[in-house]
Amino acid sequence: MVDIDLSMVNWARAQFALTAMYHWIFVPLTLGLSFLCAFFESIYVRTEDKQWLTITKFWMTLFGINFAIGVATGIILEFEFGTNWSNYSWIVGDIFGAPLAIEGIFAFFLEATFFAVMFFGWNRVSKKFHLFSTWMVAVGSNLSAVWILVANGWMQNPVGMIFNPETARFEMNNFSEVVFNPVAVSKFVHTSSSGFLFASLFVLSISCWYLIRGKHLQMAKKSIVVASVFGLLSSSFVAFTGDESAYVVARKQPMKLAAIEGLYKGQTKAPIVAAGILNPDKKPGDNQEPFLVEIKIPYLLSLLANRSFNSFVPGIDDLVYGNEEQKIEGVASKINKGKTAINDLALFKQARKENNNKKAESALANFKKNQEYMGYGYLNKPEEAVPSIAIPYYAFHIMVALGTLFPVMFAVFLFYAFKDSLTRQKWLLPLGLISGLLGLIAQESGWAVAEVGRQPWAINGLLPVKIATTNLAATNVQITFFMFLGIFTLLLLAEITIMLKQISIGPEEGVLK
Amino acid sequence: MISNLDYATLQQLWWIICSIVGALFLFLTFVQGGQTLLWQVAKTDLEKSLVVTSLGRKWEMPFTTLVLFGGALFAAFPKFYATSFGGAYWVWILILFSFIIQAVSYEYRKKPNNFLGSTVYELFLFINGSVGILLIGAAIGTFYTGSNFTLDLYNRVTWDYTLLGINLRGLEAAFSLFNLSLGIFLVFNARILGALYLLSNIDLSSTPDLESRLRKGAWNSFLIALPFLLYVFICILFMKGFNVDDAGVVSQVPSKYLSNLLAMPYFLILLLTGIILVLYGVLSSYFKKSNKGIWFSGLGTILTGFVVLCLPAFNNTAFYPSKLDLQSSLTIFNASSSMFTLTTMTYVALGIPIVLAYVVYVWKLMDSKKLTAEEVTEEESY
């Protein structure tokens, strides 16, 4: 169908990863810190204790600094689909554009409008309306997460649409299927709750720094209590929804599940790898051991994937080369069917152009037999259907390990906070201090699991990334890659130095005059 | 009721919705215009604080509206979204870049240890208001002058305009005097709006110099904008346009946009009303020392912008014409989403009035008292 410039594809992917991962430093913090600010302010309005107002304003200052750069890094993502992935935009714009437009209408305006009140309305609106505005910013931020994850969920599990051979594109035929897509639902609950968790870690980190330095003790202790309660609740929710996400992935993206577990040979009663080092030489289909060292927990993967100890979990080899016993079709056969479908579609388009209805109809009938495999027709060999294993595998295990540590940490902090002996726990405070950074690592790992693990697909099983790009010389994308790298790095450095300065100024001088 | 609308009606409705959003954006560029005025009208730190804080409380509005404009076009006219953003690559990248640097500037400009220094953030704001708006104007201009692309059987866009062996990917839009004039007009119109907005939003009693510079800023911007406006207006009346005949064949016909105006006289009325309102806003502010000019010029900009976006799309006209291959040109009928998507999105759009209502309510609440010098020195300010 088209000449593919692989270098362009790789640069476009690198650019998406760059911009998305930068954006993702700030967004989870916005998702959670907006609610934490709303909690702090609610306590202030309830108790009328000025100390809570100080606390609220301090965290709001940090929220604002973070929010601005989140907005700055976000605008490019919406338009990047057009600039670098225009073929994708055209093929699925019917379905994918809708959630982005809805996000604009219902989420961004809520955030933008009430953000101005939250920061400048203290003396312009009533106390209650101000509180309401702070809550609206939190709702707006999280509402935008809903819609962008509906869009992302659809790429992972395309539903609610049909392929229209006349236009050679996908068209929506069921909006509620798109919105209530199980992948979208599990993504949203997992992602937003992980944002709450990350923001709690951020508050904990900075508060621990104050405790270590012996400054702003009252604010730090109070902030720790609120953040630990929120963090503890969020982390249990994150764990629960993470389990649900894995279950959905097992249904919809078995290759991703196999990749994050480094599972090559499928098995019943499959164990989970708790920790291990991948064998870097291992390739699909060879007989090498996948791990150099590993610690396994028996049965757990079968339980996680299928809610049953005895169930079969397919491995990479089963999915690539097929497994007759388990009725899994190999990629080679899917590629053949896909190529036939592409061919029939071309014949159909040609016949339409020539106004030859009879020929068109028969080509269409043939096309329909294999159309669900069309995306596979663009793959050159079965192994191309396998994502990178190392990135999703390590990212997943880092994420899970950290996700297990966090709730324990919050519980310990709460315990000592209620005993009012936090300042004496010299071993605990440094851990709290670095916890924000650990949270960030967990966040970025989660992104890598979701997005690297689904390669080579832009739309799972239907459209490989290499077909989704713009017809554009790679040089253009290289230049813009470095432009974004440069400006985002500059802005990140600015954000960090400003944030550190505000933290060192602390609540009294910095916020209340 | 919405489910009974036929496909063609929905397609036209969505072009109107997108045009309204685009026109609102052009009104909201008073923020960008104000940014380019900053160095010129504000000489002291207090004046700067007043201007930046006043604009800073609104900066997210044009930003968000631009994002919505993009999102609405993506959902309703995906072929345009794919062709224009993927094709005229560099124009859009530079526009986006100018908005990326804007987004942090208000928040970071006055913060201690801001790494780049406040002048750099002010420069960012200036670039956003000048280069950003100029390129947006040039991009809108291509609705009239056409672009250099072809679409294949699968609608993949090939962009072909090379200079010295480099494919300019849309930057060549700046070589057209019409596109350039429209861009320059928008930059100076934004400056007019910016000055008028600041006059209405700030309590200028303690800063009379700022007030006189703002009035002069609006007036001078108007004098510069006027010849470009006239040039664009005359071109629109007489230039060749891209007509679509009953068989869907695109051809260039003389005075196409004039005949569109005559065929759709309500657009002519809206356009003239719009221009008169813009004029009235400027004149009343300069001669009558009125501080309400923004409402007239603002509404005028909305009406004018709306017509400028609708005129090349209705009455059998291709709104995103290709100069290289006329038959690749995009019309609202061949570039739109499916009927199902447009119907669904129309239900969604029923929420827009609610959004507008709370935006206006909160805006009024926040602006009921003018911004004072005490406020920017004693409370939160940018």
mmCIF file of all heavy atoms in Angstrom, chain B residues 79-110:
data_model
loop_
_atom_site.group_PDB
_atom_site.id
_atom_site.type_symbol
_atom_site.label_atom_id
_atom_site.label_comp_id
_atom_site.label_asym_id
_atom_site.label_seq_id
_atom_site.Cartn_x
_atom_site.Cartn_y
_atom_site.Cartn_z
ATOM 1 N N LYS B 79 -10.388 14.236 8.319
ATOM 2 C CA LYS B 79 -9.541 14.288 7.136
ATOM 3 C C LYS B 79 -8.810 15.623 7.069
ATOM 4 O O LYS B 79 -7.654 15.699 6.670
ATOM 5 C CB LYS B 79 -10.364 14.076 5.856
ATOM 6 C CG LYS B 79 -9.495 13.575 4.700
ATOM 7 C CD LYS B 79 -10.104 13.845 3.350
ATOM 8 C CE LYS B 79 -10.940 12.685 2.860
ATOM 9 N NZ LYS B 79 -11.389 12.869 1.471
ATOM 10 N N PHE B 80 -9.478 16.685 7.502
ATOM 11 C CA PHE B 80 -8.807 17.982 7.567
ATOM 12 C C PHE B 80 -7.702 17.947 8.627
ATOM 13 O O PHE B 80 -6.576 18.386 8.393
ATOM 14 C CB PHE B 80 -9.800 19.102 7.906
ATOM 15 C CG PHE B 80 -9.113 20.381 8.294
ATOM 16 C CD1 PHE B 80 -8.456 21.142 7.339
ATOM 17 C CD2 PHE B 80 -9.074 20.796 9.621
ATOM 18 C CE1 PHE B 80 -7.782 22.308 7.696
ATOM 19 C CE2 PHE B 80 -8.395 21.962 9.983
ATOM 20 C CZ PHE B 80 -7.759 22.716 9.018
ATOM 21 N N TYR B 81 -8.044 17.414 9.787
ATOM 22 C CA TYR B 81 -7.072 17.336 10.887
ATOM 23 C C TYR B 81 -5.811 16.605 10.413
ATOM 24 O O TYR B 81 -4.689 17.069 10.606
ATOM 25 C CB TYR B 81 -7.725 16.621 12.072
ATOM 26 C CG TYR B 81 -6.841 16.450 13.280
ATOM 27 C CD1 TYR B 81 -6.760 17.430 14.258
ATOM 28 C CD2 TYR B 81 -6.094 15.280 13.446
ATOM 29 C CE1 TYR B 81 -5.959 17.264 15.368
ATOM 30 C CE2 TYR B 81 -5.286 15.112 14.556
ATOM 31 C CZ TYR B 81 -5.222 16.105 15.517
ATOM 32 O OH TYR B 81 -4.419 15.928 16.612
ATOM 33 N N ALA B 82 -6.026 15.448 9.766
ATOM 34 C CA ALA B 82 -4.883 14.642 9.322
ATOM 35 C C ALA B 82 -4.112 15.354 8.213
ATOM 36 O O ALA B 82 -2.879 15.394 8.223
ATOM 37 C CB ALA B 82 -5.367 13.271 8.842
ATOM 38 N N THR B 83 -4.834 15.939 7.261
ATOM 39 C CA THR B 83 -4.171 16.559 6.111
ATOM 40 C C THR B 83 -3.408 17.807 6.525
ATOM 41 O O THR B 83 -2.250 18.000 6.154
ATOM 42 C CB THR B 83 -5.224 16.933 5.040
ATOM 43 O OG1 THR B 83 -5.991 15.774 4.751
ATOM 44 C CG2 THR B 83 -4.553 17.437 3.774
ATOM 45 N N SER B 84 -4.069 18.643 7.320
ATOM 46 C CA SER B 84 -3.446 19.917 7.641
ATOM 47 C C SER B 84 -2.320 19.767 8.664
ATOM 48 O O SER B 84 -1.227 20.283 8.470
ATOM 49 C CB SER B 84 -4.502 20.893 8.147
ATOM 50 O OG SER B 84 -3.903 22.125 8.423
ATOM 51 N N PHE B 85 -2.579 19.044 9.750
ATOM 52 C CA PHE B 85 -1.546 18.922 10.777
ATOM 53 C C PHE B 85 -0.371 18.080 10.288
ATOM 54 O O PHE B 85 0.779 18.393 10.562
ATOM 55 C CB PHE B 85 -2.121 18.362 12.077
ATOM 56 C CG PHE B 85 -2.913 19.371 12.838
ATOM 57 C CD1 PHE B 85 -4.257 19.553 12.589
ATOM 58 C CD2 PHE B 85 -2.301 20.179 13.781
ATOM 59 C CE1 PHE B 85 -4.988 20.504 13.263
ATOM 60 C CE2 PHE B 85 -3.012 21.139 14.459
ATOM 61 C CZ PHE B 85 -4.367 21.298 14.206
ATOM 62 N N GLY B 86 -0.683 17.000 9.569
ATOM 63 C CA GLY B 86 0.398 16.175 9.056
ATOM 64 C C GLY B 86 1.091 16.828 7.873
ATOM 65 O O GLY B 86 2.274 16.641 7.656
ATOM 66 N N GLY B 87 0.332 17.606 7.107
ATOM 67 C CA GLY B 87 0.871 18.189 5.895
ATOM 68 C C GLY B 87 1.619 19.488 6.153
ATOM 69 O O GLY B 87 2.819 19.593 5.906
ATOM 70 N N ALA B 88 0.892 20.470 6.675
ATOM 71 C CA ALA B 88 1.513 21.776 6.940
ATOM 72 C C ALA B 88 2.244 21.708 8.275
ATOM 73 O O ALA B 88 2.036 22.511 9.188
ATOM 74 C CB ALA B 88 0.454 22.874 6.949
ATOM 75 N N TYR B 89 3.097 20.713 8.386
ATOM 76 C CA TYR B 89 3.747 20.301 9.628
ATOM 77 C C TYR B 89 4.374 21.452 10.397
ATOM 78 O O TYR B 89 4.113 21.657 11.577
ATOM 79 C CB TYR B 89 4.819 19.275 9.253
ATOM 80 C CG TYR B 89 5.487 18.573 10.395
ATOM 81 C CD1 TYR B 89 4.865 17.488 11.012
ATOM 82 C CD2 TYR B 89 6.744 18.965 10.844
ATOM 83 C CE1 TYR B 89 5.486 16.820 12.046
ATOM 84 C CE2 TYR B 89 7.365 18.290 11.881
ATOM 85 C CZ TYR B 89 6.733 17.215 12.480
ATOM 86 O OH TYR B 89 7.345 16.552 13.499
ATOM 87 N N TRP B 90 5.205 22.228 9.686
ATOM 88 C CA TRP B 90 6.009 23.227 10.399
ATOM 89 C C TRP B 90 5.201 24.400 10.897
ATOM 90 O O TRP B 90 5.503 24.993 11.933
ATOM 91 C CB TRP B 90 7.194 23.676 9.546
ATOM 92 C CG TRP B 90 8.295 22.684 9.670
ATOM 93 C CD1 TRP B 90 8.668 21.739 8.761
ATOM 94 C CD2 TRP B 90 9.121 22.479 10.827
ATOM 95 N NE1 TRP B 90 9.681 20.964 9.267
ATOM 96 C CE2 TRP B 90 9.982 21.399 10.534
ATOM 97 C CE3 TRP B 90 9.218 23.093 12.076
ATOM 98 C CZ2 TRP B 90 10.927 20.927 11.445
ATOM 99 C CZ3 TRP B 90 10.162 22.630 12.982
ATOM 100 C CH2 TRP B 90 11.005 21.556 12.663
ATOM 101 N N VAL B 91 4.152 24.751 10.159
ATOM 102 C CA VAL B 91 3.302 25.853 10.632
ATOM 103 C C VAL B 91 2.698 25.490 11.979
ATOM 104 O O VAL B 91 2.775 26.250 12.950
ATOM 105 C CB VAL B 91 2.172 26.135 9.614
ATOM 106 C CG1 VAL B 91 1.228 27.180 10.168
ATOM 107 C CG2 VAL B 91 2.764 26.599 8.302
ATOM 108 N N TRP B 92 2.143 24.292 12.050
ATOM 109 C CA TRP B 92 1.467 23.893 13.286
ATOM 110 C C TRP B 92 2.455 23.672 14.424
ATOM 111 O O TRP B 92 2.194 24.040 15.572
ATOM 112 C CB TRP B 92 0.616 22.639 13.062
ATOM 113 C CG TRP B 92 -0.561 22.913 12.195
ATOM 114 C CD1 TRP B 92 -0.791 22.436 10.940
ATOM 115 C CD2 TRP B 92 -1.675 23.772 12.489
ATOM 116 N NE1 TRP B 92 -1.963 22.931 10.440
ATOM 117 C CE2 TRP B 92 -2.528 23.752 11.370
ATOM 118 C CE3 TRP B 92 -2.023 24.560 13.587
ATOM 119 C CZ2 TRP B 92 -3.716 24.478 11.320
ATOM 120 C CZ3 TRP B 92 -3.212 25.287 13.536
ATOM 121 C CH2 TRP B 92 -4.037 25.242 12.418
ATOM 122 N N ILE B 93 3.605 23.074 14.093
ATOM 123 C CA ILE B 93 4.609 22.843 15.141
ATOM 124 C C ILE B 93 5.037 24.174 15.765
ATOM 125 O O ILE B 93 5.121 24.305 16.992
ATOM 126 C CB ILE B 93 5.845 22.105 14.562
ATOM 127 C CG1 ILE B 93 5.507 20.649 14.250
ATOM 128 C CG2 ILE B 93 7.041 22.201 15.506
ATOM 129 C CD1 ILE B 93 5.422 19.731 15.445
ATOM 130 N N LEU B 94 5.268 25.170 14.907
ATOM 131 C CA LEU B 94 5.722 26.459 15.455
ATOM 132 C C LEU B 94 4.612 27.138 16.252
ATOM 133 O O LEU B 94 4.867 27.764 17.285
ATOM 134 C CB LEU B 94 6.231 27.369 14.329
ATOM 135 C CG LEU B 94 7.525 26.885 13.655
ATOM 136 C CD1 LEU B 94 7.959 27.850 12.564
ATOM 137 C CD2 LEU B 94 8.652 26.702 14.678
ATOM 138 N N ILE B 95 3.372 27.004 15.782
ATOM 139 C CA ILE B 95 2.248 27.565 16.557
ATOM 140 C C ILE B 95 2.207 26.897 17.939
ATOM 141 O O ILE B 95 2.134 27.567 18.976
ATOM 142 C CB ILE B 95 0.907 27.355 15.813
ATOM 143 C CG1 ILE B 95 0.859 28.236 14.566
ATOM 144 C CG2 ILE B 95 -0.271 27.662 16.735
ATOM 145 C CD1 ILE B 95 -0.324 27.967 13.655
ATOM 146 N N LEU B 96 2.278 25.575 17.941
ATOM 147 C CA LEU B 96 2.204 24.843 19.223
ATOM 148 C C LEU B 96 3.365 25.233 20.127
ATOM 149 O O LEU B 96 3.203 25.423 21.335
ATOM 150 C CB LEU B 96 2.234 23.339 18.967
ATOM 151 C CG LEU B 96 0.998 22.803 18.255
ATOM 152 C CD1 LEU B 96 1.178 21.336 17.928
ATOM 153 C CD2 LEU B 96 -0.232 23.002 19.125
ATOM 154 N N PHE B 97 4.527 25.357 19.524
ATOM 155 C CA PHE B 97 5.706 25.713 20.296
ATOM 156 C C PHE B 97 5.501 27.056 21.002
ATOM 157 O O PHE B 97 5.856 27.223 22.166
ATOM 158 C CB PHE B 97 6.910 25.789 19.347
ATOM 159 C CG PHE B 97 8.196 25.457 20.003
ATOM 160 C CD1 PHE B 97 8.507 24.138 20.286
ATOM 161 C CD2 PHE B 97 9.091 26.439 20.363
ATOM 162 C CE1 PHE B 97 9.702 23.811 20.913
ATOM 163 C CE2 PHE B 97 10.277 26.136 20.988
ATOM 164 C CZ PHE B 97 10.585 24.817 21.261
ATOM 165 N N SER B 98 4.875 27.979 20.285
ATOM 166 C CA SER B 98 4.671 29.304 20.886
ATOM 167 C C SER B 98 3.658 29.229 22.032
ATOM 168 O O SER B 98 3.659 30.083 22.921
ATOM 169 C CB SER B 98 4.227 30.310 19.819
ATOM 170 O OG SER B 98 2.838 30.226 19.595
ATOM 171 N N PHE B 99 2.792 28.224 22.015
ATOM 172 C CA PHE B 99 1.848 28.076 23.127
ATOM 173 C C PHE B 99 2.455 27.296 24.296
ATOM 174 O O PHE B 99 2.072 27.500 25.444
ATOM 175 C CB PHE B 99 0.542 27.440 22.642
ATOM 176 C CG PHE B 99 -0.371 28.460 22.017
ATOM 177 C CD1 PHE B 99 -0.243 28.803 20.681
ATOM 178 C CD2 PHE B 99 -1.325 29.128 22.774
ATOM 179 C CE1 PHE B 99 -1.047 29.779 20.102
ATOM 180 C CE2 PHE B 99 -2.134 30.096 22.219
ATOM 181 C CZ PHE B 99 -2.000 30.426 20.870
ATOM 182 N N ILE B 100 3.391 26.393 23.986
ATOM 183 C CA ILE B 100 4.086 25.673 25.061
ATOM 184 C C ILE B 100 4.830 26.669 25.941
ATOM 185 O O ILE B 100 4.735 26.629 27.170
ATOM 186 C CB ILE B 100 5.081 24.647 24.467
ATOM 187 C CG1 ILE B 100 4.332 23.511 23.786
ATOM 188 C CG2 ILE B 100 6.008 24.110 25.557
ATOM 189 C CD1 ILE B 100 5.229 22.542 23.035
ATOM 190 N N ILE B 101 5.547 27.600 25.292
ATOM 191 C CA ILE B 101 6.340 28.530 26.101
ATOM 192 C C ILE B 101 5.451 29.548 26.800
ATOM 193 O O ILE B 101 5.827 30.096 27.826
ATOM 194 C CB ILE B 101 7.454 29.221 25.266
ATOM 195 C CG1 ILE B 101 6.868 29.941 24.066
ATOM 196 C CG2 ILE B 101 8.506 28.211 24.832
ATOM 197 C CD1 ILE B 101 7.922 30.668 23.229
ATOM 198 N N GLN B 102 4.261 29.777 26.259
ATOM 199 C CA GLN B 102 3.352 30.699 26.956
ATOM 200 C C GLN B 102 2.879 30.099 28.281
ATOM 201 O O GLN B 102 2.776 30.792 29.292
ATOM 202 C CB GLN B 102 2.114 31.003 26.091
ATOM 203 C CG GLN B 102 1.157 31.977 26.780
ATOM 204 C CD GLN B 102 -0.309 31.766 26.429
ATOM 205 O OE1 GLN B 102 -0.708 30.705 25.975
ATOM 206 N NE2 GLN B 102 -1.109 32.784 26.656
ATOM 207 N N ALA B 103 2.593 28.785 28.226
ATOM 208 C CA ALA B 103 1.862 28.173 29.338
ATOM 209 C C ALA B 103 2.582 28.276 30.677
ATOM 210 O O ALA B 103 1.950 28.343 31.712
ATOM 211 C CB ALA B 103 1.553 26.708 29.008
ATOM 212 N N VAL B 104 3.914 28.298 30.666
ATOM 213 C CA VAL B 104 4.614 28.374 31.954
ATOM 214 C C VAL B 104 4.936 29.818 32.337
ATOM 215 O O VAL B 104 5.232 30.107 33.497
ATOM 216 C CB VAL B 104 5.946 27.586 31.930
ATOM 217 C CG1 VAL B 104 5.690 26.105 31.860
ATOM 218 C CG2 VAL B 104 6.829 28.048 30.808
ATOM 219 N N SER B 105 4.891 30.715 31.363
ATOM 220 C CA SER B 105 5.482 32.032 31.582
ATOM 221 C C SER B 105 4.801 32.852 32.676
ATOM 222 O O SER B 105 5.471 33.514 33.458
ATOM 223 C CB SER B 105 5.503 32.815 30.275
ATOM 224 O OG SER B 105 6.393 32.181 29.387
ATOM 225 N N TYR B 106 3.466 32.813 32.717
ATOM 226 C CA TYR B 106 2.781 33.605 33.746
ATOM 227 C C TYR B 106 3.167 33.121 35.136
ATOM 228 O O TYR B 106 3.452 33.895 36.035
ATOM 229 C CB TYR B 106 1.267 33.523 33.564
ATOM 230 C CG TYR B 106 0.773 34.355 32.412
ATOM 231 C CD1 TYR B 106 0.453 33.778 31.194
ATOM 232 C CD2 TYR B 106 0.661 35.726 32.544
ATOM 233 C CE1 TYR B 106 0.016 34.545 30.137
ATOM 234 C CE2 TYR B 106 0.221 36.511 31.487
ATOM 235 C CZ TYR B 106 -0.098 35.915 30.293
ATOM 236 O OH TYR B 106 -0.520 36.680 29.248
ATOM 237 N N GLU B 107 3.134 31.811 35.282
ATOM 238 C CA GLU B 107 3.373 31.227 36.598
ATOM 239 C C GLU B 107 4.828 31.410 37.043
ATOM 240 O O GLU B 107 5.104 31.608 38.215
ATOM 241 C CB GLU B 107 3.003 29.740 36.528
ATOM 242 C CG GLU B 107 3.023 28.985 37.835
ATOM 243 C CD GLU B 107 1.895 29.388 38.794
ATOM 244 O OE1 GLU B 107 0.795 29.703 38.308
ATOM 245 O OE2 GLU B 107 2.139 29.394 40.010
ATOM 246 N N TYR B 108 5.751 31.358 36.101
ATOM 247 C CA TYR B 108 7.166 31.315 36.480
ATOM 248 C C TYR B 108 7.857 32.679 36.450
ATOM 249 O O TYR B 108 8.926 32.843 37.026
ATOM 250 C CB TYR B 108 7.941 30.356 35.548
ATOM 251 C CG TYR B 108 7.582 28.892 35.716
ATOM 252 C CD1 TYR B 108 6.578 28.499 36.603
ATOM 253 C CD2 TYR B 108 8.241 27.908 34.998
ATOM 254 C CE1 TYR B 108 6.240 27.158 36.748
ATOM 255 C CE2 TYR B 108 7.906 26.561 35.146
ATOM 256 C CZ TYR B 108 6.906 26.198 36.014
ATOM 257 O OH TYR B 108 6.578 24.881 36.154
ATOM 258 N N ARG B 109 7.260 33.658 35.757
ATOM 259 C CA ARG B 109 7.965 34.920 35.509
ATOM 260 C C ARG B 109 8.485 35.588 36.774
ATOM 261 O O ARG B 109 9.641 36.001 36.851
ATOM 262 C CB ARG B 109 7.028 35.890 34.771
ATOM 263 C CG ARG B 109 7.713 37.153 34.283
ATOM 264 C CD ARG B 109 6.697 38.101 33.658
ATOM 265 N NE ARG B 109 5.875 38.730 34.670
ATOM 266 C CZ ARG B 109 6.076 39.948 35.156
ATOM 267 N NH1 ARG B 109 7.052 40.683 34.704
ATOM 268 N NH2 ARG B 109 5.289 40.444 36.085
ATOM 269 N N LYS B 110 7.633 35.683 37.784
ATOM 270 C CA LYS B 110 8.020 36.438 38.972
ATOM 271 C C LYS B 110 8.530 35.560 40.110
ATOM 272 O O LYS B 110 8.906 36.060 41.169
ATOM 273 C CB LYS B 110 6.803 37.246 39.472
ATOM 274 C CG LYS B 110 6.595 38.557 38.744
ATOM 275 C CD LYS B 110 7.436 39.709 39.340
ATOM 276 C CE LYS B 110 6.877 40.251 40.643
ATOM 277 N NZ LYS B 110 5.626 40.992 40.479
#
